[in-house]
C-alpha cells in the first residue's frame, strides 16, 4: 500500500518510479547469444515469437535479425531488434547478463 493512494487505484504490474527515470517501451535492440543446446538453447530466426522476462514482467515479442542473417545458432551472437506485444517499463543500463531473460519455446515435434 502507498500512503495517500486508494487501494483500487493501483493495479498488479504497474511500476512505481521517480518521474522521468524510466519509460514504457514496446521495442528495443539487444545483443543476444543463445545458450548451448546442452543448456536448452535453440536457433533463433527472424519472426520467432519468444517470451521476454524482465524482473517480474513477462511479455511475448517477435525477434528481427539483421539483414543478411537467417538464424542465430546456440553460442553465436547477433544484435537483434525485439518488438514486444505489450509495452514494458525499461531503463537503459550497462550490459548485464541477467537484465532480461529470454524463454525459448520447447522445440516442436
Amino acid at each position: 500500500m502507498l500512503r495517500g493512494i486508494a487501494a483500487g487505484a493501483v493495479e498488479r504490474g504497474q511500476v512505481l518510479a521517480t518521474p522521468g527515470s524510466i519509460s514504457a517501451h514496446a521495442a528495443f535492440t539487444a545483443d543476444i547469444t543463445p545458450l548451448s543446446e546442452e543448456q536448452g538453447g535453440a536457433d533463433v530466426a527472424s519472426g520467432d515469437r519468444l517470451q521476454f522476462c524482465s524482473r517480474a514482467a513477462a511479455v511475448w515479442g517477435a525477434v528481427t535479425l539483421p539483414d543478411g542473417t537467417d538464424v542465430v545458432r546456440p553460442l553465436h551472437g547477433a544484435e537483434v531488434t525485439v518488438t514486444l506485444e505489450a509495452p514494458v517499463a525499461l531503463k537503459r543500463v550497462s550490459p548485464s547478463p541477467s537484465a532480461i531473460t529470454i524463454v525459448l519455446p520447447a522445440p516442436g515435434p
Side-chain angles (χ1 to χ4, degrees):
M1 290 288 130
L2 299 171
R3 182 177 297 138
I5 304 296
V10 179
E11 296 179 25
R12 182 178 203 86
Q14 288 183 319
V15 175
L16 179 65
T18 304
S21 64
I22 62 174
S23 58
H25 295 274
F28 61 90
T29 59
D31 290 317
I32 66 164
T33 303
L35 296 172
S36 69
E37 291 178 2
E38 293 80 23
Q39 295 174 311
D43 292 349
V44 176
S46 254
D48 278 358
R49 188 173 174 262
L50 307 175
Q51 186 179 44
F52 295 84
C53 304
S54 176
R55 294 184 181 84
V59 64
W60 289 92
V63 175
T64 303
L65 300 178
D67 289 339
T69 303
D70 295 330
V71 67
V72 179
R73 303 212 182 278
L75 299 179
H76 292 88
E79 183 174 292
V80 301
T81 302
V82 176
T83 304
L84 300 171
E85 292 181 0
V88 175
L90 297 172
K91 121 177 147 171
R92 181 178 293 272
V93 294
S94 60
S96 168
S98 62
I100 295 178
T101 303
I102 303 169
V103 180
L104 296 172

